[in-house]
Amino acid sequence: MKISRRPALSEDERLAALGRLLTDTDTPMRLRVAGVIVLLYAQPLTRIVQLTVDDVLHDGETTLLRLGEPASPVPEPAAALLLAYIADRDNMNTATNQASRWLFPGRRAGRPARPDHMSSRLREIGIPVAAARGAAIRQQLLELPAPVVAEALGYHDKTTSRLLRESGGTWSRYAAGDHSRSPSGWTPRGAHGADNTPSSPSRPITHV
């Protein structure tokens, strides 16, 4: 997965954009959710539109988004926004789309939303996707080892290692190996109100 070399948002700009998407009820919910995924998890829109509702795992207390291995925790209030959106997705009215599993169903029956169209809409509401992704991945690399970020967010380890060097991170000596679990209690930084307490699901996680 590639990251643009265009200037990233500053951390203050990323947090401001994230806070706005989490609270601005005048913005269409699908754009809010897509923008939050970009700002928290540095995902490209080509991948975001391929997500399905089965990639959202929920047990009543914990919400996870499957982007890599392991699935990434979704902090509050982002989790509540994501679940509310799933319960009332748009473009679901046609007969052929009523059973769609796409997280972002497109206008064409059976197809997901177009990434170029979503990119344009996000730009209209002040979310430049490439700059937002750059800010998100660099912040993750300042807080977590590059191999963990690569596996959890679906990046190539060479990409995260390069970005780590560019961002001046301190995890360069982290040992390679089995990183099949996120660090205990990992919560992506920047979601207002997120609880950083380690969580252990009390019952099996199920698809939404």
Side-chain angles (χ1 to χ4, degrees), residues 46-68:
T46 51
R47 188 170 184 207
I48 288 174
V49 299
Q50 293 296 320
L51 293 171
T52 71
V53 293
D54 299 311
D55 291 314
V56 180
L57 312 175
H58 182 60
D59 77 337
E61 299 175 1
T62 301
T63 301
L64 305 174
L65 183 60
R66 187 162 49 205
L67 303 168

Side-chain angles (χ1 to χ4, degrees), residues 20-21 26-32 34-35 45 90-91 107 113-129:
R20 179 162 51 84
L21 290 179
D26 291 332
T27 298
M29 192 173 288
R30 75 156 36 198
L31 295 181
R32 294 170 66 193
L45 289 176
D90 50 9
N91 292 339
R107 292 180 180 178
R114 288 170 41 199
D116 57 340
H117 180 257
M118 186 170 286
S119 177
S120 177
R121 293 295 308 280
L122 285 171
R123 189 164 53 249
E124 290 174 1
I125 64 169
I127 307 296
V129 174

Side-chain angles (χ1 to χ4, degrees), residues 77-96:
L81 176 67
L82 176 59
L83 296 176
Y85 166 71
I86 290 174
D88 190 24
R89 286 173 292 159
D90 50 9
N91 292 339
M92 295 288 289
N93 295 328
T94 64
T96 52

Side-chain angles (χ1 to χ4, degrees), residues 169-186:
T170 58
W171 294 100
S172 59
R173 295 186 180 180
Y174 186 77
D178 180 10
H179 309 299
S180 59
R181 297 180 61 84
S182 293
S184 177
W186 174 42

